[in-house]
Amino acid sequence: MEVLVGYDDDLAGEATRLSNRIRGLLTGIHPALERAIGPDITHRAVLEILAHCGGPAGIRAAGREQVAAITAEHAPRKHAKLVDRVWAALDEQTVTVPGTTAADTVLPQLAESLKTVLAQRKTLAAQVEELLDAHPLAGVLTSMPGIGVRTASRILLEIGDASSFASSAHLAAYAGIAPVTHKSGSSIKGEHPTRAGNRKLKRAFFLAAFAALSDPVSRAYYDKKRAEGKKHNAALICLARRRCDVLFAMLRNGTYYQPPQPSKENEKLATAA
């Protein structure tokens, strides 16, 4: 599992590099098109457009019907909206920037490379999942919102059943998600995330917290921290720290995740309202 997960980490880094390269190139020659498709750059339909047509000049030359046919297979539900976004972006910019023609040569190669990397990650995920399923704590980890096959595997590789940690605070410190209080003399200058800790484990906790934002409980806590004035990443670290307490108890007791139940006091207040 260590070999597979380590290789997947390498592929993830390569996918990020390629995605950023494509978005950077589009930003340089056609910002409107980058805004239209950049957020979905890893979607197969978007990659197929770039692989078959290249940049803005190649897309317009291919024509709306051909682009619609390319995307229909890979985004049957939203291909029409995607094509509308692309054409609205093409019409938004009338100036041809130097390098646009060269982009029609480079972008297809970058898109094909990114497709290959994403396909490799998909294959690896199936292999990792097969190994993960054999572990007795696999179900415990994946029962928690936001923890998938990749993050569960990384957590298991880094801490096992967490029995080597005396408390969740020790685990949080090891992961680098415990805030550190900065002092100068007798004054306290606030708490800041530490730069120490296990970077791989910290990344797993961070990604799991981000993925958990669709969970109402996690989202409520994140929104609370944002309302307190914390920026996005700081609020996610706070959420990761909170989830660390829950995860530690789950691993220690071998229990599955249970959403927190409203207290009797909150139930009375809700009833009174």
Side-chain angles (χ1 to χ4, degrees), residues 5 25 33 54 66 114 127 174 220 273:
V5 173
L25 182 55
L33 182 59
Q66 183 176 345
L114 183 52
Q127 296 173 340
Y174 175 72

Side-chain angles (χ1 to χ4, degrees), residues 165-179 241 244-245 248:
F165 299 92
S167 67
S168 60
H170 287 82
L171 174 57
Y174 175 72
I177 57 175
R241 174 64 185 88
C244 181
D245 292 338
F248 180 79

Side-chain angles (χ1 to χ4, degrees), residues 9 16 20 36 55 61 75 89 106 114 121 124 135 145 154 166 175 177 183 186 189 201 210 216 218 230 234 241 255:
D9 287 343
T16 299
N20 290 341
V106 176
L114 183 52
R121 291 201 73 197
L124 272 180
H135 197 285
R154 175 52 66 190
I177 57 175
K183 297 182 179 181
S186 60
K189 296 187 176 181
L201 184 59
F210 180 77
S218 298
K230 294 188 181 295
R241 174 64 185 88
T255 55

Side-chain angles (χ1 to χ4, degrees), residues 66 73 203:
Q66 183 176 345
E73 179 182 353
R203 183 173 182 271

Side-chain angles (χ1 to χ4, degrees), residues 151-230:
T151 48
S153 300
R154 175 52 66 190
I155 291 170
L156 278 177
L157 287 171
E158 299 303 324
I159 65 173
D161 62 359
S163 59
S164 59
F165 299 92
S167 67
S168 60
H170 287 82
L171 174 57
Y174 175 72
I177 57 175
V180 176
T181 302
H182 286 196
K183 297 182 179 181
S184 178
S186 60
S187 62
I188 298 177
K189 296 187 176 181
E191 293 184 337
H192 304 273
T194 177
R195 295 187 179 182
N198 184 316
R199 292 186 178 183
K200 293 180 180 179
L201 184 59
K202 181 177 183 177
R203 183 173 182 271
F205 277 133
F206 185 88
L207 292 177
F210 180 77
L213 289 180
S214 58
D215 170 58
V217 175
S218 298
R219 186 76 200 197
Y221 186 80
Y222 168 85
D223 289 341
K224 175 185 175 183
K225 291 301 176 182
R226 290 285 282 164
E228 292 174 0
K230 294 188 181 295

